[in-house]
Amino acid sequence: MDIRIDETIDKAPYYKKISDDKVINITGEGGSGKSTIASKYKKDDNYIVVDYDLIMLNPEEGTIEYELRQMLLNKYGEVLFKGINELGLDKVKENFTTMYTEIINYLSKKETNKTIVLDGSQLRFINDVQVIKGEVFVLRPSIQTCISQSVKRYIQKNPQATIEQIQEYTQKRTNILYQLNPLMNELLIKVSTLPEVEKKRAELFNQNLN
C-alpha cells in the first residue's frame, strides 16, 4: 500500500513507535490539522508542546519556543534559522537535524517527567531518520485538502482580505506544498523502513541469547 500523501485522496494518519523515548513527533503538510492535534496536549501537564514554526519566527518572550530559540541562537547564531533560498536544501537539513537533537537533549534534561511533543512540517528536513526519537505521527490528508484548509484559515484570520489577496495566498500555498511534499513523502517512506520498538526489543533479546 502506498503510504505517501496523495494529491487528491485523503488518507488516515500514519503512526509508528520507533523508540521508548518520551517524544511524540506530529507532522504533516500545512493545513493537515497537526497543530490542532498538538494543541490538545497543551491541556495536560504531562506534556510539553513545541511548535517549530514559532521557533523559526519570532516567539513571544516567556514561551518555551522563545527559550529554545535563545538557547539555539547562543550556540549557533542566526544561520540555524535561515531558509532554503539562502542556504540550500542540504544545509537546511543539516541545521534542522542539529536543532532537533538540541531541542530533545535540552528538554529531556529540563523536563524529565514530561513527554515532549514536537509539532511541525519541518520534520521533513531531518537528514537521517535514525536521529528521530519516540513516536512519529504523520497526518495525511491530500494536498488539495491541505490547500483548502490553509485558505480557509487565512480567510478566518484575515476577514478583510480581497479576492486578489486570497488568490495570491492560494497560489503561494499551492506552490509551496507541491515543492515540499516530495520531502514529506520521502520521510514517510524512510520512517516506514525503521524497526518498531517491539521489534527492537525482540532483536536485543535474541542477541542476548547468543
Side-chain angles (χ1 to χ4, degrees):
M1 185 175 68
D2 190 350
I3 69 169
R4 293 174 296 181
I5 294 169
D6 192 82
E7 182 177 356
T8 58
I9 301 171
D10 294 334
K11 297 180 180 179
Y14 175 86
Y15 172 83
K16 191 166 194 175
K17 184 174 183 178
I18 55 181
S19 80
D20 286 322
D21 297 278
K22 296 169 68 174
V23 180
I24 301 173
N25 302 276
I26 300 176
T27 192
E29 298 296 356
S32 63
K34 59 189 179 302
S35 294
T36 300
I37 291 177
S39 67
K40 296 178 181 179
Y41 289 98
K42 292 182 179 180
K43 303 172 184 177
D44 190 329
D45 288 338
N46 293 310
Y47 298 89
I48 182 164
V49 180
V50 177
D51 185 335
Y52 291 128
D53 285 341
L54 294 180
I55 293 177
M56 299 301 293
L57 299 172
N58 189 23
E60 183 179 347
E61 191 169 351
T63 62
I64 188 59
E65 288 86 2
Y66 180 86
E67 182 178 339
L68 290 169
R69 183 178 174 89
Q70 294 307 304
M71 179 270 292
L72 293 166
L73 278 171
N74 289 337
K75 279 193 171 186
Y76 301 99
E78 288 283 355
V79 68
L80 202 67
F81 305 97
K82 294 186 181 298
I84 293 175
N85 292 336
E86 297 169 283
L87 300 178
L89 181 58
D90 289 344
K91 186 61 178 178
V92 166
K93 286 185 173 183
E94 178 185 327
N95 284 349
F96 177 75
T97 303
T98 297
M99 183 185 301
Y100 180 88
T101 304
E102 289 282 2
I103 288 172
I104 290 178
N105 289 342
Y106 180 85
L107 291 178
S108 295
K109 294 174 183 176
K110 175 183 171 65
E111 305 286 355
T112 55
N113 295 320
K114 293 188 178 184
T115 297
I116 303 164
V117 179
L118 301 172
D119 163 31
S121 61
Q122 288 87 346
L123 191 64
R124 75 173 97 231
F125 294 123
I126 203 93
N127 64 9
D128 181 0
V129 293
Q130 300 285 345
V131 175
I132 299 174
K133 304 294 185 183
E135 304 166 65
V136 179
F137 189 74
V138 186
L139 294 173
R140 298 186 299 166
S142 69
I143 295 177
Q144 291 301 319
T145 295
C146 289
I147 293 169
S148 176
Q149 290 298 112
S150 294
V151 173
K152 286 180 182 177
R153 186 170 57 195
Y154 173 80
I155 293 172
Q156 289 171 353
K157 291 183 177 180
N158 302 275
Q160 304 303 320
T162 65
I163 293 176
E164 289 76 15
Q165 288 172 324
I166 294 170
Q167 290 174 338
E168 182 180 350
Y169 177 82
T170 302
Q171 189 59 56
K172 180 180 178 181
R173 292 302 303 166
T174 300
N175 293 343
I176 290 173
L177 283 175
Y178 276 98
Q179 177 187 5
L180 294 180
N181 179 248
L183 293 174
M184 184 64 70
N185 284 337
E186 182 181 342
L187 172 72
L188 273 161
I189 292 168
K190 288 181 176 179
V191 168
S192 72
T193 66
L194 293 173
E196 294 181 277
V197 68
E198 289 78 9
K199 293 180 181 178
K200 284 185 179 180
R201 292 198 191 101
E203 290 166 1
L204 289 171
F205 179 76
N206 290 332
Q207 287 174 8
N208 290 334
L209 289 177
N210 297 328

